[in-house]
Amino acid sequence: MEVLIFVAVLFLLLITGLHIGVALGVSALTILVIFQGTSLNVVAQQTFNSGNSYALAAIPFFILAGDLIMKGGLAKKILELTDIVTHKIQGGTAMGAMLVSVFFAAVSGSSVASAAAVGKNLVQIMSEKGYPKKFVAGLVATGGTLGLLIPPSLSFILIGSMIGIPVIDLFTAGIVPGVMQAVMLLMMTWWICRRKGWEMPAAIKATRETVRSRASALKSIGSASGVLFLPFLILGGIYLGFFTPTEVSAVAVIYAAFLSVIIYKSIKAKELWGISRDALYQTGMIYLILIGGGLTAYMLKVLGLTAQIVTVVGDWGLTGWQFLIIVNILLLIIGLFLDGVTVIALVAPILFPIATGLGIDPIHFAVIMTMNIEIATLTPPVGLNLFVMSGLTNISIQDVAKGVGPYYIVLFVSLILVTYFPQISLVLLN
Amino acid sequence: MKIFDAIENKVIVPIAVTLFIVSCCWMLVEGISRQFFHKSFNFSEELVIFSLIWAIFLTLGKGGQKNVHIVVDLFTSKFSKKTLKLTSIFNSLIGLIYSAFLVYVGISYVQHLMATGITSHSSLRLPMGIVFLVIPIGMTFLGLFYVKEMKKTLTNDSKVQAVSEELQKENNIPIESKSKKRELQSSN
Amino acid sequence: NSSAKSDSKGTHEIVMTHELPESFHKHKYMEKFKEIVEEKSEGRLEVKIYPAATLFKDGEAVEALGTGAVQMVWPVSSHFESLSESYGIAGLPFGVTDERMANEEFRNQLTTNLNGYVEEKGVKVLGLLRTAESIFLAKDVELKSIKDFKNMKIRTVSGHVASDMLESVGSTAISMPSTELATSLSQGAIDGVNTSPDGWKDVVGSAAKYGYVVPDMQIFTYSMATDAAWFNELPSDLKEIITEAADEIIVEQWKETKQLDEKYINEVVADYGTINYATDEDVKAWEKEMEKVYAKFEKRQPEAYKEFMKLINQ
Ligand code: NA
Ligand code: NA
């Protein structure tokens, strides 16, 4: 009964366009305070504790590091670099653009901010080469989602701190699936360009071969090397044992600030304050949802619902294999309407106990969940990356989604592969 | 209202950003100190987390003014102007009630913590009553944000337009509509 | 709302919480406690156990004592150092030992002392359960004697005393969230960990090859604690039932968990670990170094120190 009221209130509030975090909090409090008579002190405690986790502290700092990198227009440097390799291939610019999107998403930890920063440059450059806007928008939107799978990743930090899995194990588990997806996306890009006849080799020769030289290639490498070092700093810092996975987020901030202010001089020192402030506001968006999600999770605990669901699903006698099908479908549906943070805050506390009960490795499960969230950011009606690219390119959300078109196949196929071959996620851990 | 704006802009936001930077830098200090100088501070974890929570809670309201908080705009984008006005008043009211309630429970819990005198675990031994003060303070400013929103809706829509344009310039991103803008600024 | 829900028939509900999986021994003893008090009170006490943080983590539960949301919690004793620093006596090296705890008089007086530090803050202490004996783990340095602790970066459990102990033998006491512990050890961000035998088996695992125990130096304990205001309002016969049930469990639990420690260590040794126990001579060296820890504690909490000295020198 209480659950039905909760769902009804939540839906009503979401439909009217209330902030998602507040909607979650209000719905949960309705049940807790009115129906359960929960002590007000406990409400205050749970509100505070939603953010009271050391692992979560990495989120704002990875956002800040990402913002610092983005603000400096460093995307262009990387694109020049990838061009050295890809300029002889058909659809080379598109593949380069995919690489750039993936790279930036990877180092930033969030997919939306990077899509926004990279997108602007790419749309301009690629339009000149005759690529349709729709395709570019879809490409950048898709590449951006890999940021959730390749470390550092906000999704893994959230799941790790909520479920109590070491974040580094999740990071490690995301590497192979992330790289696998990147390769598949590149192959798909090549195939699309070939089929559509975009950027034929003949045309490439005429426009580009002439301007390329060894010297300019070296220059590109030199000017991009500072940014290229960032992933090594992040992963090396963790795996060589210098820093904990949480601390490395602060290292990334300092390095990104150093790079943008001192080396590339793309940001003035006094701008750092404003950039930090904006990163803080963005973090607030996540925490407002975490607070509401925390109250909701507590409500589920008080109602004993988490335990009940676990028991009920247990009684169905599902195998892990069947359970994973159901989870994937469920997450895809929820993901149509809700963003990644909300999905995690809402369903992780329920699904993880069931999954581990069925003998599914929680790390493997976290990877599956994250891949579903990647898809969620790309599916209308509510898909953050679609919104960003629609805003940048002035084409409709539906058209961006059409541009993503063939890439959905890659995301689904890789999701299925990762779901049924746990080795893909777990190989680096053993 | 003006005085609250002044306090928020001149006091609260600078304090929050300072705490945010302190949190980041201290995390680095702890890592470097442990790694290279064989010294660890038992209060690092608390300093980092509490500074961060303070920074974030204090600016939830300001973030609202900057349109960072996300909504599901699937339905609202199809609402008529009149319906939109009604729902936005309704939303501001609910937001205000939520914030006010959390201010209330926050104060009540702070009193409980003050009475027991419970402190944090590290050598800082911070009174937890003080640490939790951020709930009533932060939620006050979130509540004020909703009051402002309501006022805006009730008085005029042209101001909303102006604010959104100003935001656009600030972020240097071309945006079609206000709702997309919201999505854009959020991360993930 | 501080007094618990009690209906017209005079039934009192006891909400108990803990943060460990149901397979842990603490859960078993909570169920035993439930069985005893429900039977002896003929149903007037009704116990509801929320395991695995399904309601609260232990720290949250301690903060929530007195709100009516939870009546009883058995957290690691160091949690109560955040209510009163004097509570640190429970963790003083060579202080609370298996042998002393077998003595009823010692046990009761200790509980009285500890309770005295926190009761006015709303927490009633019913006694100490044995969590486990402390063990030091290292990744790739075999710990054989006190000398091997020089310049080691070791992650300690929380509390002043625990870090003083490591610092007095030349180690760097690192504080670090437990979620980062196993990784930090295997990646080398820290050299060692101060934990319990089951922590070696279940949390740290083969990331640590070497274990080292100084017998009787450091026993980690849980404090059986209730909401003081709630407890004091109970009818006196129910209070007695609860107190007696607590003591009954304490006696049995201290014996059983000592054997559990051995069992876990044996399992680890059979699988991947090497264990060393401090020799008599080595124990003497530890005792000598630990005098510094006592001196520091005396400086911080002279009253509690005096009372504790009186207790152990009886
Ligand atoms: Na990433
Ligand atoms: Na979606």
Side-chain angles (χ1 to χ4, degrees):
Chain A
M1 184 58 204
E2 278 103 337
V3 182
L4 288 181
I5 297 173
F6 167 80
V7 172
V9 174
L10 180 61
F11 265 81
L12 175 75
L13 296 177
L14 288 179
I15 287 170
T16 62
L18 183 61
H19 292 148
I20 293 177
V22 176
L24 280 170
V26 170
S27 320
L29 285 177
T30 307
I31 306 304
L32 283 172
V33 177
I34 299 177
F35 294 93
Q36 292 288 318
T38 301
S39 145
L40 300 184
N41 287 338
V42 174
V43 172
Q45 189 190 44
Q46 295 299 319
T47 302
F48 187 87
N49 283 346
S50 315
N52 192 3
S53 149
Y54 198 68
L56 278 182
I59 289 183
F61 303 141
F62 277 130
I63 290 179
L64 176 56
D67 280 1
L68 286 167
I69 295 284
M70 304 307 159
K71 292 265 156 73
L74 302 175
K76 222 172 163 186
K77 294 191 197 302
I78 302 281
L79 188 64
E80 280 164 16
L81 184 76
T82 56
D83 204 43
I84 300 169
V85 187
T86 56
H87 77 282
K88 286 185 182 157
I89 310 168
Q90 179 175 24
T93 312
M95 292 173 74
M98 179 57 90
L99 271 177
V100 172
S101 312
V102 170
F103 177 85
F104 272 85
V107 295
S108 81
S110 87
S111 64
V112 169
S114 61
V118 181
K120 217 171 157 190
N121 280 318
L122 291 182
V123 170
Q124 193 201 346
I125 295 168
M126 291 180 65
S127 295
E128 287 165 13
K129 300 251 158 81
Y131 287 97
K133 258 188 178 179
K134 218 195 278 185
F135 169 71
V136 183
L139 179 150
V140 176
T142 311
T145 63
L146 261 66
L148 296 178
L149 211 47
I150 299 175
S153 142
L154 298 194
S155 159
F156 283 146
I157 297 169
L158 270 175
I159 294 175
S161 67
M162 286 179 65
I163 308 298
I165 307 170
V167 171
I168 191 178
D169 288 351
L170 296 177
F171 280 6
T172 311
I175 293 175
V176 175
V179 171
M180 181 186 86
Q181 259 188 353
V183 172
M184 287 167 75
L185 288 175
L186 279 173
M187 280 162 43
M188 179 57 89
T189 306
W190 176 78
W191 182 78
I192 295 170
C193 292
R194 210 179 126 93
R195 229 183 117 233
K196 303 269 181 177
W198 291 328
E199 213 183 353
M200 297 297 286
I204 299 172
K205 264 201 184 102
T207 56
R208 288 204 279 169
E209 206 83 329
T210 46
V211 289
R212 275 279 150 201
S213 71
R214 192 169 288 252
S216 80
L218 282 174
K219 208 176 144 217
S220 298
I221 295 176
S223 76
S225 59
V227 197
L228 285 177
F229 182 64
L230 190 62
F232 293 101
L233 182 76
I234 291 172
L235 296 179
I238 303 174
Y239 290 107
L240 295 176
F242 288 114
F243 302 104
T244 70
T246 311
E247 284 164 0
V248 105
S249 64
V251 178
V253 167
I254 300 299
Y255 180 71
F258 168 78
L259 210 59
S260 309
V261 177
I262 313 274
I263 304 297
Y264 293 127
K265 296 192 171 55
S266 49
I267 294 175
K268 294 192 190 77
K270 65 176 182 200
E271 288 175 89
L272 289 176
W273 179 268
I275 295 174
S276 305
R277 189 191 54 209
D278 292 347
L280 179 58
Y281 295 159
Q282 287 179 38
T283 311
M285 161 279 197
I286 294 179
Y287 274 63
L288 192 67
I289 295 175
L290 283 178
I291 293 169
L295 290 169
T296 305
Y298 183 75
M299 176 206 74
L300 293 173
K301 284 181 185 178
V302 171
L303 294 181
L305 205 74
T306 313
Q308 270 177 36
I309 295 176
V310 175
T311 322
V312 168
V313 175
D315 288 347
W316 290 348
L318 291 177
T319 61
W321 188 84
Q322 292 161 329
F323 173 71
L324 289 177
I325 296 183
I326 296 176
V327 166
N328 277 329
I329 294 171
L330 178 79
L331 288 177
L332 287 174
I333 295 171
I334 300 177
L336 293 177
F337 304 100
L338 295 175
D339 71 287
V341 179
T342 316
V343 172
I344 294 173
L346 212 55
V347 302
I350 300 177
L351 291 185
F352 271 84
I354 304 178
T356 42
L358 291 173
I360 298 164
D361 189 313
I363 295 174
H364 176 216
F365 194 65
V367 175
I368 295 175
M369 196 158 179
T370 298
M371 292 179 83
N372 273 291
I373 285 160
E374 282 188 315
I375 297 174
T377 58
L378 289 172
T379 47
V382 181
L384 295 189
N385 279 20
L386 297 182
F387 292 135
V388 178
M389 292 316 294
S390 161
L392 284 174
T393 53
N394 276 328
I395 57 180
S396 74
I397 289 169
Q398 284 73 16
D399 278 346
V400 181
K402 277 181 199 152
V404 176
Y407 293 124
Y408 287 123
I409 301 169
V410 170
L411 296 176
F412 280 115
V413 168
S414 54
L415 172 63
I416 293 167
L417 284 175
V418 169
T419 303
Y420 294 108
F421 297 94
Q423 302 89 324
I424 300 174
S425 343
L426 302 177
V427 62
L428 292 182
L429 283 164
N430 299 327
Chain B
M1 217 60 206
K2 272 206 177 120
I3 191 147
F4 281 113
D5 276 348
I7 294 173
E8 185 166 37
N9 292 327
K10 296 275 177 329
V11 183
I12 297 292
V13 171
I15 289 178
V17 177
T18 307
L19 286 172
F20 184 58
I21 294 171
V22 164
S23 175
C24 180
C25 291
W26 195 263
M27 199 183 247
L28 194 69
V29 166
E30 164 70 22
I32 289 175
S33 162
R34 182 194 62 238
Q35 192 56 36
F36 301 105
F37 303 103
H38 271 254
K39 173 93 192 115
S40 167
F41 306 91
N42 73 10
F43 56 83
S44 290
E45 191 182 339
E46 281 176 6
L47 183 65
V48 167
I49 296 184
F50 291 160
S51 304
L52 192 60
I53 292 184
W54 268 73
I56 293 167
F57 274 59
L58 287 180
T59 52
L60 286 176
K62 192 70 194 180
Q65 293 171 40
K66 301 282 179 189
N67 269 329
V68 297
H69 299 309
I70 55 171
V71 303
V72 175
D73 67 348
L74 175 61
F75 305 97
T76 49
S77 59
K78 294 181 180 73
F79 286 172
S80 71
K81 244 192 172 158
K82 209 172 152 196
T83 322
L84 208 56
K85 193 164 177 173
L86 278 175
T87 54
S88 95
I89 292 170
F90 173 75
N91 288 340
S92 304
L93 191 67
I94 298 286
L96 178 60
I97 294 172
Y98 181 65
S99 318
F101 181 74
L102 290 180
V103 170
Y104 174 69
V105 297
I107 291 173
S108 133
Y109 194 48
V110 164
Q111 283 168 342
H112 166 74
L113 291 172
M114 294 283 198
T116 59
I118 200 162
T119 66
S120 65
H121 287 287
S122 80
S123 56
L124 293 179
R125 300 198 73 80
L126 297 166
M128 290 307 283
I130 303 284
V131 175
F132 270 79
L133 260 182
V134 75
I135 296 184
I137 300 176
M139 290 302 156
T140 299
F141 285 96
L142 184 64
L144 285 169
F145 155 68
Y146 285 114
V147 171
K148 270 182 234 166
E149 282 286 290
M150 203 182 308
K151 240 170 108 185
K152 244 190 271 173
T153 321
L154 287 172
T155 49
N156 204 339
D157 292 356
S158 64
K159 272 189 196 157
V160 179
Q161 191 60 35
V163 170
S164 130
E165 270 163 24
E166 183 200 319
L167 263 168
Q168 224 163 290
K169 257 185 254 160
E170 209 173 284
N171 287 276
N172 213 5
I173 301 169
I175 298 296
E176 273 182 324
S177 70
K178 195 188 164 199
S179 66
K180 268 179 210 151
K181 170 84 217 164
R182 279 183 189 193
E183 303 293 349
L184 221 164
Q185 290 199 329
S186 61
S187 56
N188 174 20
Chain C
N1 195 18
S2 87
S3 63
K5 302 154 197 160
S6 82
D7 60 23
S8 53
K9 285 179 222 147
T11 310
H12 297 262
E13 191 186 39
I14 308 182
V15 172
M16 298 174 74
T17 73
H18 68 84
E19 61 189 16
L20 300 167
E22 288 179 46
S23 55
F24 273 63
H25 59 73
K26 183 150 79 174
H27 184 74
K28 195 184 100 190
Y29 290 107
M30 280 197 175
E31 293 208 306
K32 180 130 202 181
F33 176 82
K34 172 186 161 82
E35 200 186 301
I36 297 174
V37 298
E38 283 183 348
E39 197 193 310
K40 282 197 180 162
S41 70
E42 289 166 340
R44 285 163 63 216
L45 288 171
E46 222 170 74
V47 180
K48 218 167 167 185
I49 304 170
Y50 290 85
T54 44
L55 190 59
F56 289 118
K57 290 184 186 151
D58 286 354
E60 293 173 345
V62 169
E63 281 176 359
L65 282 177
T67 66
V70 55
Q71 281 75 43
M72 196 181 237
V73 55
W74 303 351
V76 176
S77 292
S78 63
H79 269 299
F80 290 110
E81 288 178 51
S82 57
L83 279 178
S84 161
E85 268 201 83
S86 303
Y87 213 93
I89 60 164
L92 283 171
F94 299 106
V96 176
T97 60
D98 291 323
E99 199 189 327
R100 286 186 179 129
M101 282 299 285
N103 176 333
E104 194 183 345
E105 213 175 308
F106 175 88
R107 216 162 54 221
N108 290 341
Q109 188 56 47
L110 178 65
T111 304
T112 309
N113 287 4
L114 291 173
N115 188 53
Y117 307 136
V118 292
E119 187 164 11
E120 59 173 17
K121 308 205 164 166
V123 176
K124 169 98 190 157
V125 178
L126 299 176
L128 293 187
L129 290 171
R130 188 179 188 281
T131 307
E133 173 141 42
S134 146
I135 184 169
F136 296 100
L137 304 178
K139 185 189 169 199
D140 40 27
V141 182
E142 182 165 6
L143 297 171
K144 286 184 197 147
S145 82
I146 191 168
K147 293 190 195 92
D148 297 325
F149 282 74
K150 273 243 151 43
N151 294 323
M152 292 277 281
K153 284 181 282 186
I154 297 180
R155 189 263 187 186
T156 59
V157 294
S158 71
H160 249 139
V161 171
S163 53
D164 284 349
M165 284 172 68
L166 281 170
E167 267 156 20
S168 69
V169 294
S171 292
T172 307
I174 308 280
S175 84
M176 179 178 277
S178 58
T179 44
E180 311 220 334
L181 188 155
T183 324
S184 300
L185 188 67
S186 60
Q187 308 297 339
I190 49 176
D191 305 315
V193 180
N194 181 199
T195 183
S196 57
D198 67 310
W200 193 8
K201 183 174 164 275
D202 291 331
V203 181
V204 181
S206 57
K209 295 272 178 298
Y210 301 101
Y212 175 79
V213 172
V214 185
D216 276 342
M217 180 168 72
Q218 194 184 18
I219 310 272
F220 299 128
T221 57
Y222 297 125
S223 289
M224 298 174 99
T226 65
D227 176 341
W230 166 82
F231 185 83
N232 291 331
E233 277 170 32
L234 286 175
S236 54
D237 61 325
L238 293 185
K239 277 188 214 170
E240 210 165 292
I241 288 172
I242 291 175
T243 323
E244 277 171 9
D247 203 54
E248 186 180 334
I249 284 174
I250 287 170
V251 173
E252 185 187 321
Q253 197 263 3
W254 274 79
K255 282 184 210 144
E256 285 183 8
T257 48
K258 192 168 162 58
Q259 288 158 3
L260 270 181
D261 281 350
E262 284 164 24
K263 183 179 152 246
Y264 290 133
I265 290 179
N266 289 340
E267 281 174 23
V268 170
V269 168
D271 199 359
Y272 48 80
T274 304
I275 180 86
N276 289 308
Y277 291 91
T279 59
D280 289 348
E281 188 189 346
D282 208 22
V283 171
K284 287 217 175 67
W286 277 95
E287 280 173 338
K288 188 157 184 309
E289 294 303 330
M290 291 307 114
E291 283 166 16
K292 294 180 208 159
V293 178
Y294 274 79
K296 280 187 190 165
F297 188 83
E298 184 181 11
K299 221 168 160 190
R300 286 197 304 268
Q301 301 295 323
E303 275 305 309
Y305 177 81
K306 218 162 62 188
E307 279 173 9
F308 190 64
M309 281 300 134
K310 202 176 132 205
L311 179 61
I312 58 177
N313 291 326
Q314 261 170 14

